[in-house]
Amino acid sequence: MGRLSIRVLRLLLAAYPREFRERFGADLERDFADLLETRGAGAAWTYAWSDLRRAMPMTHRDDQRARQRRYVVTLGAGPGFGAVWLDLRHAIRALIKTPLFTIVTVATLALGIGATTAIFSLVNAALLRPLGYHQPDRLMTVHEQLLGMRLPRAEMSPPDFLDLRQLQRSFTDVGAYRTAEYELSGAGISRRVNVVAMSPSVIPLLGVAPAKGRLFTAAEEQSPSSVAIVTAAFVDRVFGGEDPIGRTVTLDRRPYTVVGVMPPGFEFPKRGPRMNGVPGDVFTPLWFNPFERQARGSFHTHSVIGRLRDEVTPEQAIRDVNALGETIRANYPAQLQGAFAALRLPVTPLESEISGDVRRPLLLLLGAVSLVLVIACANVANLMLSRAVTRRREIGVRIALGAAANRLFQMLFIESLLLAALGGVLGLLAGQWAVRFAAPAVAAGAPAAAGVSLDGRVLAFTLVTSIATALVFGIAPLVSGLRRDGYEALRGGRTHTAAHGRLPAALVVASVALAFVLLVGSGLLGRSLVNVMSVESGVGDFNVVTMNVMLPYAAYNQGTRVRSFGWTLRERLAAIPGVRAAAIATDVPIRGDGERRAVTPENLPEGAAPLAVAITWLHGDYFDTYRIPVVRGRLLTDDEMMNDRRAAVVSRGFAERVWPGEDPIGKRFMWGVRGGGARWQTVVGVVADVADGSLTSE
């Protein structure tokens, strides 16, 4: 009977949790056997049933709580998403409890990340953004170098381009293009659009196919053609997104039939080059008339692009094309041979042509703001080390409870990552605001970066920068010996954290050293700016408003009509209250994008090269408008401006170069070269020098 009772009890004990059964099962069975032997089966089972009724629910509840505690402890001590979530919640609470530390840290990081993001946005727009062409590294541009005329870089003339296309062997083909503003009219609208006249070979050289329609044919450059290709943005703006193929657009009051539409995002030419650097809305075939085909040394307004053959390297193309300069010069008339001596054809990669002079300044700026970010990281690391002093007892308790090094690193890194994320978001917003605020200055000084925008590359850069900064300053407390500080804090002994050691001192020294480098660089930059601003521009009044007016050729194809329009417009402007003086001119000072021509002074030796000078055609009080002083002689009269009496006013620098030590009044010069058929211009006045382009230009 006793053995049977013991077996039944064992079956009942199986209802207890396993851990309880393994820990107390033998004791319960032994107590039951003692009661069974001393007091009988009735007393033994009465006690056993009473114990089962009371203890079994309690043991199951305790077992569930224990499992929950074990689950939480496991998530908090080991790897997994749960541990990350717990550390994130802990980091949020810790940062909320120290608002001053959080604000200072986030603001410091936002300053460094924001400045870096802003400059990287410009670098991305000017240097890194894809051009949208097929193999852009194989695209090259060709210019002319006229050293005899003091023109180290000029666009190509039509006959020189035609010779180049026939003689070159380095490119699969070459194409020429030039940009202009046309009047778009019709359907109740009148606006200015950018038009690119191009050889039919240009778009195939870029490796871009039209989204609709066709490209230009070779026959369309042999005679004037009234066909056009438009961009997708132009279609949306003018045609409302409807299919434009076969429809007509009126440019400068001349109808053009749309035969093709380029894909969305297509842009040509790119911004950046000083000449022909405005993206087109409409593209038309480039046609050279008979006069242009024979105009040696004239119409240097055409940019030339070519694609390298597969077997030709850029270096080989530079060498081969440049050698064609003398061959092309041999085709010049005899009277121009001396004027265009040392003709060269420099070749430049298209990517370098677009980035131009902004590559080095932008990279220098990116390096400078990177130093600012490093200084910000060093300062934040010092803040983290100082904060670690107040947290040493907390870290010590964690270490005593068995926290592993990787768990401490994860906790501190998540806290640092949260700070860097907040700083990165604010820095991204501040950087984009700064770029938008500086957009006009950016467009004027760096046209290649004018299309700056927030794209995936900028976002990725900001994200990587934020994570890198979190790594830099986040692990500083661990590197500094935080575990040792925790043990000493628990023992109650003298703490010796790295906040009082060498690491904070090294960070301070590094910050001061980098700041000194930046200070010296900014001082030199400021000094250069002061020197440039102190250069005499020749302009005495900048309180001037300018506007651009382009007249359609179809309605203003005679000089008398153009002069009449300009004169009437100037009179109406001068009559406006508050206007002191008004003028109509083809150029304004300092801009440097006006017309340049070759001029031959009367005393120029036979065979000598003419001079290339900047020209401004004007009506009205031009010199009074800008307060440009008269040095000698007089200004142009109304009759001379209106009826074109072949009178001219020259600058002091021009007069001193051409007629040194002589009175320039009454001296003469002609446009182009001697023998070209131009009439003589007579100098009636000399004015002070005015910068044409940058303040350091002539």
Side-chain angles (χ1 to χ4, degrees), residues 464-481:
V464 172
T465 302
S466 301
I467 295 176
T469 54
L471 282 172
V472 169
F473 68 77
I475 63 175
L478 281 180
V479 175
S480 67

Side-chain angles (χ1 to χ4, degrees), residues 306-326:
R307 177 173 290 278
L308 293 174
R309 297 182 183 273
D310 293 338
E311 67 277 6
V312 177
T313 64
E315 294 76 15
Q316 182 180 349
I318 292 173
R319 182 175 61 254
D320 295 345
V321 174
N322 196 28
L324 296 177
E326 286 302 313

Side-chain angles (χ1 to χ4, degrees), residues 671-694:
W671 304 126
V673 296
R674 184 179 285 109
R679 293 170 56 185
W680 292 104
Q681 302 284 334
T682 302
V683 177
V684 299
V686 179
V687 295
D689 291 337
V690 178
D692 185 64
S694 67

Side-chain angles (χ1 to χ4, degrees), residues 21-272:
R21 190 170 61 251
E22 292 176 352
R23 185 172 181 181
F24 302 108
D27 295 336
L28 292 176
E29 185 177 336
R30 186 167 51 253
D31 293 342
F32 181 82
D34 291 343
L35 286 175
L36 186 66
E37 183 178 354
T38 58
R39 301 179 59 181
W45 280 111
T46 299
Y47 177 80
W49 283 114
S50 175
D51 187 70
L52 284 171
R53 180 176 55 81
R54 289 183 295 103
M56 189 170 296
M58 186 182 302
T59 56
H60 278 283
R61 284 196 300 271
D62 292 342
D63 180 69
Q64 184 178 5
R65 293 194 188 98
R67 287 200 306 271
Q68 292 175 348
R69 286 196 298 271
R70 287 197 305 273
Y71 180 67
V72 172
V73 170
T74 301
L75 288 179
F81 179 77
V84 174
W85 175 245
L86 288 176
D87 287 342
L88 180 61
R89 292 171 55 192
H90 176 270
I92 294 174
R93 290 195 300 268
L95 295 180
I96 292 176
K97 289 180 180 178
T98 54
L100 182 60
F101 166 81
T102 303
I103 292 173
V104 172
T105 302
V106 171
T108 303
L109 291 175
L111 175 64
I113 295 176
T116 308
T117 300
I119 300 301
F120 180 78
S121 299
L122 300 180
V123 173
N124 175 55
L127 306 179
L128 302 180
R129 183 176 296 169
L131 298 182
Y133 310 142
H134 176 64
Q135 294 182 339
D137 58 311
R138 304 292 292 174
L139 293 172
M140 313 292 283
T141 60
V142 184
H143 297 84
E144 290 193 282
Q145 193 175 67
L146 310 175
L147 298 179
M149 300 176 62
R150 300 189 180 183
L151 278 179
R153 183 183 180 88
E155 305 307 304
M156 294 197 74
S157 65
D160 291 353
F161 163 71
L162 296 175
D163 286 347
L164 172 68
R165 184 164 64 178
Q166 182 180 3
L167 296 173
Q168 66 84 23
R169 296 294 181 267
S170 300
F171 304 112
T172 59
D173 201 353
V174 293
Y177 61 92
R178 63 170 182 256
T179 61
E181 272 194 348
Y182 280 23
E183 177 197 56
L184 173 67
S185 58
I189 60 173
S190 180
R191 68 187 73 171
R192 305 304 302 179
V193 294
N194 297 316
V195 178
V196 182
M198 58 168 58
S199 304
S201 58
V202 170
I203 295 181
L205 285 173
L206 302 177
V208 182
K212 295 180 179 179
R214 64 172 178 86
L215 297 177
F216 300 131
T217 64
E220 288 170 338
E221 71 170 340
Q222 303 301 322
S223 61
S225 301
S226 297
V227 295
I229 297 173
V230 298
T231 62
F234 182 87
V235 173
D236 294 337
R237 188 167 65 249
V238 176
F239 296 103
E242 298 180 1
D243 188 0
I245 302 299
R247 301 179 65 174
T248 300
V249 293
T250 304
L251 302 174
D252 269 6
R253 309 189 185 181
R254 176 184 172 187
Y256 287 80
T257 302
V258 178
V259 298
V261 179
M262 298 307 296
F266 176 79
E267 185 180 90
F268 182 83
K270 295 290 185 178
R271 299 185 185 273

Side-chain angles (χ1 to χ4, degrees), residues 317-396:
I318 292 173
R319 182 175 61 254
D320 295 345
V321 174
N322 196 28
L324 296 177
E326 286 302 313
T327 305
I328 293 177
R329 192 178 73 90
N331 295 330
Y332 276 57
Q335 65 269 27
L336 299 180
Q337 291 286 334
F340 289 88
L343 176 64
R344 298 288 183 268
L345 302 178
V347 177
T348 307
L350 179 62
E351 295 174 325
S352 300
E353 176 75 9
I354 294 172
S355 61
D357 298 331
V358 303
R359 176 181 294 272
R360 180 173 296 178
L362 284 180
L363 293 179
L364 289 176
L365 280 176
L366 184 61
V369 297
S370 299
L371 291 182
V372 173
L373 181 60
V374 172
I375 294 173
C377 290
N379 291 332
V380 172
N382 257 334
L383 289 175
M384 296 289 286
L385 288 171
S386 300
R387 186 166 181 259
V389 176
T390 63
R391 301 179 64 184
R392 60 182 183 271
R393 184 171 294 278
E394 172 199 344
I395 301 298

